[in-house]
């Protein structure tokens, strides 16, 4: 497991840092610790929030059992150190694999042609590269259900657009820098839009409300516009 450090983030949160890179081994360790805490929480545990290389652990200071002279954060640090000492990411097995159908280019991905030209590729080559990889959900954020995905080939890494758009349709698949992601709800954004999925990523009436969770593996499957419309109709 990567080297780990624990530090105070606020009076009600600690941050466990597993490194400073986007790495599958780090993602496994973060996911394992989050699941361990959620499945067997210590007294006062509130929530664990994964990042690319960190796990934020939130707690209720008043509910932490501790010695009279020990600060709540010190107690939580001891509890986290003990949990890390017996953590085994390999015991989790393979993370869940989710297939995401995507209609690439055209009205679904208005930046695909420009992105392909930027890299000296054809649109079909971009589609093949993007859909040929396997991605890892490192964290959910920005908007409800937005997955930040690691695993994009460096051949497709593209700077964000100079002028962000005010309205990006829900389901849009995009590339920003070395990452790819999916806009679950209509929102502003500055990433390069290459396609759209009919899959609903955020369903506030469901439990859980997000289709994807930190730790999931993702594969994109190219589909034609006709299949997009059929699947979008089924989802309504």
């Amino acid at each position: 497991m990567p080297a780990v450090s624990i530090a105070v983030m606020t009076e009600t949160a600690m941050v466990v840092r597993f490194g400073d890179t986007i790495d599958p081994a780090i993602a496994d360790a973060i996911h394992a610790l989050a699941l361990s805490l959620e499945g067997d929480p210590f007294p006062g545990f509130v929530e664990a929030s994964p990042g690319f290389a960190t796990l934020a652990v939130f707690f209720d200071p008043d509910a932490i059992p501790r010695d009279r002279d020990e600060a709540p954060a010190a107690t939580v640090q001891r509890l986290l150190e003990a949990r890390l000492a017996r953590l085994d990411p390999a015991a989790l097995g393979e993370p869940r694999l989710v297939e995401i159908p995507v209609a690439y280019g055209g009205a679904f991905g208005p930046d695909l042609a420009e992105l392909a030209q930027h890299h000296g590729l054809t649109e079909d080559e971009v589609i093949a590269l993007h859909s040929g990889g396997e991605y890892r959900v490192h964290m959910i954020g920005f908007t409800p259900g937005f997955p930040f995905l690691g695993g994009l080939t460096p051949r497709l890494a593209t700077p964000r657009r100079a002028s962000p758009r005010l309205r990006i349709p829900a389901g849009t698949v995009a590339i920003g820098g070395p990452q790819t992601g999916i806009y679950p709800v209509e929102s502003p954004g500055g990433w390069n839009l290459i396609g759209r999925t009919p899959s609903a990523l955020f369903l506030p009436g469901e439990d859980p409300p997000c289709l994807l969770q930190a730790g999931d593996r993702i594969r994109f499957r190219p589909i034609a516009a006709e299949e997009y419309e059929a699947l979008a109709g089924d989802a309504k």
Side-chain angles (χ1 to χ4, degrees):
M1 188 169 64
V4 182
S5 63
I6 303 173
V8 175
M9 188 165 70
T10 70
E11 291 182 352
T12 60
M14 305 291 287
V15 60
V16 185
R17 179 170 295 280
F18 291 81
D20 55 8
T21 59
I22 301 175
D23 181 89
I26 288 177
D28 287 343
I30 291 172
H31 185 48
L33 180 57
L35 289 180
S36 173
L37 292 169
E38 290 163 0
D40 181 20
F42 57 79
F45 172 80
V46 174
E47 182 183 9
S49 179
F52 280 114
T54 60
L55 184 72
V57 180
F58 297 89
F59 59 91
D60 177 359
D62 294 330
I64 300 296
R66 61 187 189 277
D67 296 333
R68 181 175 299 178
D69 296 330
E70 186 175 54
T75 302
V76 173
Q77 178 159 346
R78 283 196 299 102
L79 294 170
L80 291 173
E81 288 171 347
R83 191 68 62 98
L84 286 164
R86 60 179 188 269
L87 195 67
D88 181 13
L92 289 176
E94 283 294 312
R96 182 176 66 144
L97 177 62
V98 181
E99 182 182 86
I100 303 292
V102 180
Y104 286 93
F108 299 111
D111 298 328
L112 178 62
E114 184 179 342
L115 186 145
Q117 184 178 25
H118 174 80
H119 291 288
L121 300 168
T122 66
E123 293 183 35
D124 285 343
E125 287 172 331
V126 171
I127 294 169
L129 285 168
H130 188 263
S131 62
E134 184 174 287
Y135 303 89
R136 186 68 174 269
V137 180
H138 286 268
M139 60 182 177
I140 302 292
F142 171 56
T143 61
F146 187 103
F148 286 89
L149 306 179
L152 181 70
T153 171
R155 295 180 65 186
L156 295 183
T158 309
R160 300 182 184 194
R161 298 184 64 82
S163 299
R165 291 178 170 89
L166 295 179
R167 297 177 64 182
I168 294 175
T172 298
V173 178
I175 290 174
Q179 301 174 62
T180 188
I182 311 167
Y183 289 85
V185 297
E186 183 180 284
S187 67
W191 289 22
N192 303 276
L193 315 184
I194 63 171
R196 197 181 307 164
T197 178
S199 299
L201 271 69
F202 179 60
L203 296 168
E206 301 292 328
D207 183 21
C210 299
L211 172 66
L212 303 175
Q213 305 293 327
D216 286 345
R217 295 178 297 146
I218 304 297
R219 282 192 175 274
F220 294 108
R221 176 174 65 87
I223 59 174
E226 294 78 11
E227 184 176 355
Y228 176 95
E229 298 298 343
L231 291 172
D234 291 341
K236 292 180 181 179

